Amino acid sequence: MIRRSSGLSEEEESDEALQSGAKPQDEDRRKDSFTSAKFDQKRHSVTLDRRKVDKNSPTSPFMQNAPLDPTKPYGAADKQKMTDTVTESTSSPKMPDPGHQIRSRVRSPWRLSLLALSTTCLSMLFVFWIVHSFLTRQLDVKGCNNCGMRPLYVKMSGFDTEHTRFASKYSLYMYREGYIDNDEFVRGVPVLFIPGNAGSHKQVRPLAAEAAVYFHEHLQHDKDAMAVGTSRLDFFTVDLNEDITAFHGQTLLDQAEYLNDAVAYILSLYHDQRRSRRDPKLPDPSSVILVGHSMGGIVARTMLVMSNYQANSINTIITMSTPHARPPVSFDADIVSTYKRINDYWRESYSQKWANNNPLWHVTLISIAGGGLDTVVPSDYSSLSSLVPETHGFTVFTSTVPKVWTGSDHLSILWCDQFRKVIVRAMLEAVDGRRPGQTKQRAERMRIFRRWFLTGMEPSVEKTLPHKEPTTLLTLEDNSNSITSSGERLTIRGFGETGKPKAHLIPVPPYGTPGGSKFSLLSDQPLDGSGNVQVLFCSVFPLQPGQSNAIFAMNMDLSGSSSGSTRLACKNTASDVILLPASTKVSKYSFDEARPFSYLEYSLTDLVEHQFVAVVDMAGSPSAGWVIAEFSDNVASQIIADVGLYRLLTTGLHLRLPATRPMVTDVTIPAMHSSLLAYKLKIGPHGCGEELFTPLLRQYLSHPYESKYFVNVKEANINLHGIAPFMPPPLRDQSLSNGVSLQLWSDPTCNASIKLSLEVDIPGSMGKLVMRYRTVMAAFPIFVIALVLGKQFAIHDETGVFIAFGEALDLCLRSSLPILLLVMSFLATSMVNSKAASSSGMFHWRGNATETVIDYTKNDFLLGSQDSMFWILIPLFGLVSVGICVLVNYAALAIIHAFCFVYSSLNARPAWMRNDDRRYVMDRIVSHL
């Protein structure tokens, strides 16, 4: 037996310690571990008291066996008694510990206060409202038709590592259309298609197929077109391995470097007689046309910034659904810096005073957006107003393009049959195979693109009539024509009533005459010579002795054999005809397959050298149709609604157009400029027994070029892409504050007034927040989580307890979060006011390139808007973020508990094993005692 220094055995010394009230050695060790910790005794009194063993407690096994004889060793009966005592003590009820209950309540991860619960419910209500509005309200109608093609892709295997270091990663292909392109030779003008983020090289097939078919079936047999340099298009495309360029700046730069090498290789093919079957009389191409979709358009612009760019190898860039103004997702610092570098280069280039100092002087850039149907990239980001002047590019929406008149989503803009026909015809007209650059000069290219992509009513579209020479000699007999009195309206119902052609003359009022400042003509007949009507602007042509009529390309003699005739030298207006969607009683959408209306519009400044407008009825037999022509005053046809945004939000706008109104009425509302608001428009009552056409409405913006048409209109959803959040200011003052204009064509022969009622659609406006603030909706929850996490750490530092998420959120809702949101709201308002006060003269063009005139980052903060009316969005986003954070928290808890349940189920053991473990533990306790 081992003896201690006290002279007692081990068991006797232990018994003596129990009789004297001393605590066991393990209890002393636990106490030492607590007392050695560097915490205040007051802060941990509950924890320490809970861990102490009260030696005076009657239930303590040590006190129940206190009167033991230290000299008497334990026997079997004593051990059994001790086992029963320990078992009884462990199963006996304990006094409730208040501190333990508080800690359990605070640490419960599922607990949520009434304030947090009510805030979450209100947040979810707003989230449901926003999502429901985004999915069901203020939606544009899809009108694109499908298209067909027979694609073949020829891989350019010669474009290997000798030409580019990315040959093992990317590939170059040439498109061939089945049954048309029977070889692999290059023959025409090179065009390179660049797919977008995670895009496929096969997305080139709609455009390339249409180009091949149209040239094969029409242009190659047109001698006039071939004489001016029209050539076929050789489409190339690149397989970029479906890289994610929208989220990684270096990938964007790698693709731009590869494509510059591809352009050099494509141009080299035309020098190789083994690969080229081009007319030897034509010069070899020195540039390539670029067509980019989505982020492919950014890659195209980046190519001109790269060090391996070959000068003048790119002069025309057409982009579709490309976010030019800012990156679609701003979470990657690399993509943000790359965007800044590209945009700064383009802005600095176009800010040069002299063309010789501008490396992009020869480049034209056209940006085409899909509109509200594009839910991948906000169409606001497609704007070029902050990058390129109007002389070198513009932004247009597909709903503006004649004969398209419909929006498109992010992918359908590639295969939309109506749109691909327009873009291919514009490209074919812009090319000129006789020039080394393979395209017409920049100014001519811009005129072509404006004519094909714009409505023709924009101020930037030039009228061809003043620049033409008279080509038609109109000879009239006294009884073969009718002259409309000055100031009267010409209305023709039906053609060919006399059985022979007849001319209707409208005198042109002198320049500056009140009441006659604009000429308008609308007809359901084509005016290009294929219909029953021709419109000519004429001047009296006196017959001189010996003068021949051979100087006119067309001689239109309506005088018969009469000697008393009048000769007029006339210009044809076919090249200035504006097409409008047909609006009849059966019309439903602007993109319906119906023959469009023909519309002419001239100001008096365009007609100063003319004396008459001749509307010639060319029908030889009675036929249906109508024409309305008039000179109108701008005062009567243009209305500027001087109302503020607050009035629009509260009472709306209500106008009544008189019965004696002009055929075309233009209502401009400067307060309607924000892309965050949607509106409801009602027009009525209208209609009469002999109505020539039903009201036709055009909603349009001057910058960017966005027009929407509503046929047979009674109600219309008005939404726009005007001044949008986070957009940089324009390169020049482009009058973005002019707001929305509503142009209404109505039948003036009905002699009935029309009422216009415009109101803000609050539920429909909620859905507009999704595309404009989707990044903010992702960033605000992070802000809320940071606040909650900071509160949790602050409580832990004070009490040593890490409270649950719901408890910390409740504390934030009662203190810091409302204060911070309020401060941010006031900050947003003050920033708008301060910038508005200092922005006078900001948008003036300066010739000095080194002088910083415009702050392009002024809209990058907070709400990104210069309108103080939207400060309410900050509390709204804070409220929505709280609900999102709560839902994410509970979803995470549910997932964790589900995994724990599955884990415990898979590792569960039978009851007999658990009983054996319990007996084993009790035996260890007894043996220790």
Side-chain angles (χ1 to χ4, degrees), residues 763-927:
S765 301
M766 298 298 293
K768 304 304 175 185
L769 300 176
V770 175
M771 292 302 297
R772 275 75 179 189
Y773 285 111
R774 56 181 183 178
T775 304
V776 174
M777 291 184 179
F780 257 73
I782 299 176
F783 166 72
V784 174
I785 291 175
L787 285 179
V788 174
L789 190 61
K791 180 64 69 174
Q792 288 176 307
F793 279 114
I795 297 298
H796 178 269
D797 291 341
E798 294 179 1
T799 64
V801 179
F802 197 84
I803 61 177
F805 180 86
E807 190 76 13
L809 178 63
D810 178 71
L811 296 175
C812 291
L813 290 174
R814 298 178 185 275
S815 57
S816 57
L817 185 58
I819 296 176
L820 287 176
L821 294 178
L822 185 62
V823 170
M824 293 172 64
S825 301
F826 279 109
L827 181 60
T829 305
S830 62
M831 289 177 62
V832 170
N833 295 333
S834 62
K835 290 176 181 177
S838 60
S839 62
S840 59
M842 178 175 292
F843 300 116
H844 293 292
W845 183 262
R846 302 291 179 88
N848 189 357
T850 61
E851 181 180 0
T852 302
V853 179
I854 305 173
D855 181 13
Y856 293 102
T857 63
K858 70 175 186 177
N859 295 331
D860 291 349
F861 307 101
L862 292 179
L863 293 176
S865 174
Q866 295 299 307
D867 198 331
S868 58
M869 286 290 294
F870 298 107
W871 66 268
I872 191 64
L873 293 179
I874 291 181
L876 176 62
F877 291 150
L879 177 64
V880 170
S881 300
V882 169
I884 294 176
C885 291
V886 171
L887 289 184
V888 172
N889 175 60
Y890 279 116
L893 288 175
I895 293 174
I896 292 173
H897 281 71
F899 276 110
C900 292
F901 175 78
V902 172
Y903 179 81
S904 60
S905 300
L906 295 176
N907 291 274
R909 293 181 296 177
W912 61 270
M913 295 181 63
R914 294 196 297 270
N915 292 334
D916 289 345
D917 292 342
R918 188 178 299 107
R919 286 193 295 268
Y920 174 76
V921 171
M922 296 307 303
D923 291 341
R924 292 292 302 271
I925 294 175
V926 172
S927 62

Side-chain angles (χ1 to χ4, degrees), residues 462-466 468 516-521 535-537 571-578 599-607 610 613 630-632 634:
E462 299 179 7
K463 300 293 184 181
T464 61
L465 183 69
K468 283 185 175 181
S517 58
K518 183 177 69 173
F519 173 76
S520 302
L521 182 144
V535 180
L536 307 173
F537 282 85
K571 300 178 181 179
N572 200 305
T573 61
S575 59
D576 289 335
V577 172
I578 300 170
Y599 178 65
L600 288 174
E601 183 180 85
Y602 292 101
S603 64
L604 278 185
T605 57
D606 299 326
L607 308 178
H610 303 286
V613 180
E630 66 180 9
F631 283 91
S632 59
N634 282 333

Side-chain angles (χ1 to χ4, degrees), residues 10 35 53 81 94 100 167 237 255 268 281 298 315 396 421 465 510-511 535 576 598 619 657 686 775 830 892 906:
E10 181 179 358
T35 56
V53 178
K81 183 178 180 181
K94 297 181 179 180
H100 179 70
T237 181
Q255 292 183 1
S268 68
K281 298 180 181 179
I298 299 298
N315 61 18
V396 65
K421 291 179 178 178
L465 183 69
Y511 182 75
V535 180
D576 289 335
S598 299
L657 305 181
H686 61 82
T775 304
S830 62
L906 295 176

Side-chain angles (χ1 to χ4, degrees), residues 364-380:
T364 57
L365 175 61
I366 308 299
S367 175
I368 306 172
L373 291 177
D374 191 346
T375 57
V376 176
V377 173
S379 292
D380 306 281

Side-chain angles (χ1 to χ4, degrees), residues 16 48 56 65 102 183 194 305 355 468 537 549 577 585 670 713 916:
E16 183 178 4
L48 296 176
N56 297 322
N65 299 278
I102 294 176
D183 52 49
I194 307 173
V305 184
K468 283 185 175 181
F537 282 85
N549 298 335
V577 172
K585 294 181 179 179
V713 59
D916 289 345

